[in-house]
Amino acid sequence: PLNYMGFPKSICVSVNEVICHGIPDSRPLEDGDIVNLDVSVCLEGFHADLNETYFVGTCDEESHKLVRSSYNALKAATALIRPGTLYRQLGAAIEKEAAENGCSVVTAFCGHGV
């Protein structure tokens, strides 16, 4: 939501090297960019958050590998979701999948999300 917890926009738009919570500005998207859209909603005291990454025009193989690795890490974690699973098990699955694909997890944002 607009101005939620002081955030000046109603959506996060993170382009290329911006990890998360990018603030939309007047920069035009360019061929080869990757852009992540992150939307949160609040309803009756509950919060939900969803984001998706998109390719702008023609992207190089490194960009495709990054997005594919991120998606596979998400799938590895969601496969574990059931009663009794510890939060840390989800993080471990994500980190393992990322490492196996030559990527790493940004530890500054651990625990980020709802």
Side-chain angles (χ1 to χ4, degrees), residues 14-103:
S14 303
V15 181
N16 298 328
E17 71 282 349
V18 177
I19 297 167
C20 67
H21 302 146
I23 299 173
D25 59 21
S26 61
R27 173 194 182 276
L29 296 174
E30 299 176 7
D31 187 59
D33 283 345
I34 56 175
V35 60
N36 181 273
L37 303 178
D38 187 349
V39 179
S40 296
V41 295
C42 302
L43 179 65
E44 299 176 3
F46 292 93
H47 294 88
D49 179 86
L50 179 69
N51 75 78
E52 188 68 49
T53 303
Y54 298 92
F55 299 105
V56 179
T58 303
C59 292
D60 61 16
E61 181 53 35
E62 185 177 351
S63 296
H64 281 271
K65 179 183 176 184
L66 173 65
V67 173
R68 187 171 46 250
S69 297
S70 297
Y71 180 73
N72 289 340
L74 175 66
K75 288 192 333 186
T78 57
L80 300 175
I81 295 177
R82 63 183 57 82
T85 299
L86 303 174
Y87 288 124
R88 66 178 177 233
Q89 290 173 287
L90 303 177
I94 290 168
E95 188 165 16
K96 179 178 183 285
E97 183 68 30
E100 288 175 357
N101 288 284
C103 297

